[in-house]
Amino acid sequence: PNEQAAGDMESLERMLSAGWRRVGSGHQIPAQQTAVSTAPSMDEIATDVSLSLADPHSGRSALRLQAWAADSKKAPLAIERPPLWVTSSNVPVRQGQLVQIHGWVNVPRRLAASTDGLLIFDSLGGSDLGERIRATQGWREFTLYRAVPQNGDLTVTFALTGLGEASVDDLSVSILEAEPIRPR
């Protein structure tokens, strides 16, 4: 079963009440369907997080992340840190469990000012073990597996590392029952 609350990306209210948050600019995901903000340390870059009705993987909407140069004539050539990222709500996990993180992403064009593209990582593996998706041809499936080293909470982060857009849909976190190790 899916342990990730509101991973279907169908209701912004459900996502907010479950604990989803927008990170990076110091603001949470806005309470309305869409909002534009400018990160204080990156005032030349505008960002937007919304539930988009255009071409979801399934259901009626998908989470869309966008970043663009506020002044197209002064677009940065390289961005040092992601201008926008969204982190899922917590999923409680216990030491020794095996976790499967699964979902779908759509990055219609390669992000400008970045070599990483959309970075997907979790709180157990960190960004070093994350998946970097530079561009897709339509929706692309991703799956990450993690062994839980200690009791705590698992979150999944979607970081838009450059200028452009990416969509995320149908995120699931499943706890897999590991077979006990038996002596031969």
Side-chain angles (χ1 to χ4, degrees), residues 76-92:
L77 297 176
I79 297 175
E80 290 183 24
R81 64 183 183 103
L84 172 66
W85 62 94
V86 172
T87 301
S88 74
S89 59
N90 295 337
V91 174

Side-chain angles (χ1 to χ4, degrees), residues 7-93:
D8 59 2
M9 314 301 178
E10 295 296 317
S11 167
L12 198 53
E13 283 183 36
R14 274 190 47 229
M15 291 173 75
L16 288 168
S17 64
W20 283 73
R21 60 196 179 280
R22 174 181 176 161
V23 183
S25 64
H27 304 290
Q28 290 192 347
I29 297 174
Q32 63 273 20
Q33 283 293 323
T34 183
V36 176
S37 68
T38 303
S41 62
M42 304 181 86
D43 57 356
E44 72 277 3
I45 298 174
T47 61
D48 177 55
V49 176
S50 63
L51 288 184
S52 174
L53 301 176
D55 190 35
H57 175 258
S58 70
R60 65 176 185 62
S61 63
L63 183 68
R64 183 173 64 182
L65 292 76
Q66 293 178 290
W68 65 94
D71 181 353
S72 60
K73 295 176 184 169
K74 296 181 181 177
L77 297 176
I79 297 175
E80 290 183 24
R81 64 183 183 103
L84 172 66
W85 62 94
V86 172
T87 301
S88 74
S89 59
N90 295 337
V91 174
V93 292

